[in-house]
């Protein structure tokens, strides 16, 4: 099982934003939408063995589970509508409690540290996608691997504190958009699972 | 220099569509928007040495040149607005004549065969991204390489006729979305250019 954790430093904490202005009044929600598309969608099908956490401003967590996910289409606008429903669902929910939104999507108030704790409790190996890390093609991963990445901004000091001690992995020589990173991780793991390549091929 | 040629089998030939319904009334224009994002945009910057052709219904060609491209933002809606301007610009233009739209974007009436001829005349090696092709990590590419890929539909018989005799390249064991394929090609070539990997590493 694969997991991605995307940190949004500017995303919305309340659902009062128009779907026609995702980069502006929705605080670059377009990035999170593209991340959901790359995390779950194949050309014709959905990756059921994937989980995606969106961590908005270190306060609001949205969890998408491929096993039960419904209504996810590839375009940004419809994905933003799904996320807006989740954000609306969160209003008034007690901190620390996962609230179900649409099928396969849940929401709670909480921080990156909660996500890390949840993943480690489930036996995931957690990796940070960061320039300067070890080149992915040489890194062996456990069957349950989670990858933490940032949006258009660098990791903030409080992010780095919550990610302390975790291994860093790099995807290449260029600084890439968040959804591109997800695409590259999926491909590397797809290739290994299918025996097209192996670790430490470099 | 890298080039991508994306075949759209359902895209719009006229600009009368709302930006709020890219997957529907705009005939999956969302796919072409994501392809433009992946072709040109890094985390903070634009790939200037890239060209992208969009071939809509085998009739309308839109060419985006990174060297002079302006106003391209990562989100689908704003990219769709740029493409809609280009499609509007094409109305009434004589067949065979490139008409400039916004900076870095030109449009003409023409078919895939015209694109192939233009690329080969400029010395590009042209490759078709297709399942069953040779695994990309073992394929050497010339400095000028162009990659042809299809949208959510398979290549049509007329596409295959125009692509006759070209080498086929595969990216992995899964059937991927078009923009994902562009992300993977870029990464493989980035890695080679920076010396992180080499051909036939498998």
């Amino acid at each position: 099982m694969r997991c991605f954790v995307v940190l949004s430093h500017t995303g919305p904490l309340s659902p009062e934003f128009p779907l026609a202005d995702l980069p502006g009044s929705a605080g670059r929600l377009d990035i999170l939408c593209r991340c959901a598309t790359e995390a779950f969608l194949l050309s014709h099908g959905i990756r059921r063995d994937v989980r995606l956490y969106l961590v908005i401003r270190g306060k609001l967590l949205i969890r998408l589970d491929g096993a039960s996910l419904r209504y996810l289409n590839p375009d940004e606008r419809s994905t933003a509508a799904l996320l807006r429903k989740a954000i609306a669902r969160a209003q008034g929910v007690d901190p620390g409690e996962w609230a179900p939104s649409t099928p396969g999507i849940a929401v709670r108030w909480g921080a990156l540290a909660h996500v890390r704790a949840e993943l480690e409790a489930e036996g995931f190996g957690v990796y940070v996608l960061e320039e300067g890390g070890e080149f992915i093609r040489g890194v062996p991963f456990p069957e349950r691997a989670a990858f933490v990445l940032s949006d258009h901004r660098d990791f903030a000091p409080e992010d780095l504190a919550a990610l302390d001690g975790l291994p860093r992995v790099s995807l290449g020589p260029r600084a890439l958009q968040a959804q591109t990173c997800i695409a590259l991780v999926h491909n590397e793991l797809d290739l290994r699972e299918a025996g097209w390549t192996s670790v430490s091929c470099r």
Side-chain angles (χ1 to χ4, degrees), chain A residues 24 34 40 42 49 57 64 70 74 80 86 93-94 101 106 111 116 123 125 129 131 153 158 168 175 178-179 194 197:
Chain A
R34 289 195 297 280
F40 291 108
L42 294 162
D49 60 339
R57 299 186 189 220
L64 296 87
R70 292 186 63 182
V93 167
D94 284 339
S101 179
R116 177 175 176 178
L129 296 181
E131 294 167 75
R153 298 206 179 161
E158 54 270 30
R168 265 56 178 172
Q179 81 277 357
T197 189

Side-chain angles (χ1 to χ4, degrees), chain A residues 14-160:
Chain A
S14 73
E16 291 83 28
F17 57 83
L19 296 178
D21 186 26
L22 301 179
S25 38
R28 299 307 311 273
L29 191 65
D30 59 305
I31 297 174
L32 303 185
C33 296
R34 289 195 297 280
C35 285
T37 295
E38 288 301 331
F40 291 108
L41 298 182
L42 294 162
S43 179
H44 294 281
I46 185 164
R47 293 180 184 267
R48 291 291 174 197
D49 60 339
V50 170
R51 190 190 301 170
L52 171 66
Y53 291 91
L54 307 174
V55 181
I56 302 180
R57 299 186 189 220
K59 288 181 186 162
L60 181 63
L61 310 178
I62 304 177
R63 189 180 68 200
L64 296 87
D65 284 294
S68 52
L69 188 58
R70 292 186 63 182
Y71 312 128
L72 182 71
N73 288 309
D75 68 295
E76 284 173 20
R77 185 187 171 94
S78 67
T79 305
L82 272 183
L83 297 180
R84 191 169 65 175
K85 272 188 194 174
I87 295 166
R89 179 68 181 85
Q91 311 304 312
V93 167
D94 284 339
E97 176 190 331
W98 282 110
S101 179
T102 52
I105 302 184
V107 64
R108 65 165 271 193
W109 298 96
L112 174 58
H114 298 120
V115 176
R116 177 175 176 178
E118 191 165 296
L119 287 170
E120 291 182 334
E122 290 184 58
F124 277 89
V126 185
Y127 300 81
V128 180
L129 296 181
E130 201 172 27
E131 294 167 75
E134 191 179 353
F135 183 35
I136 188 170
R137 293 192 188 177
V139 181
F141 296 106
E143 202 274 322
R144 300 193 136 206
F147 300 87
V148 183
L149 62 158
S150 190
D151 57 1
H152 58 301
R153 298 206 179 161
D154 289 338
F155 290 114
E158 54 270 30
D159 302 331
L160 293 171

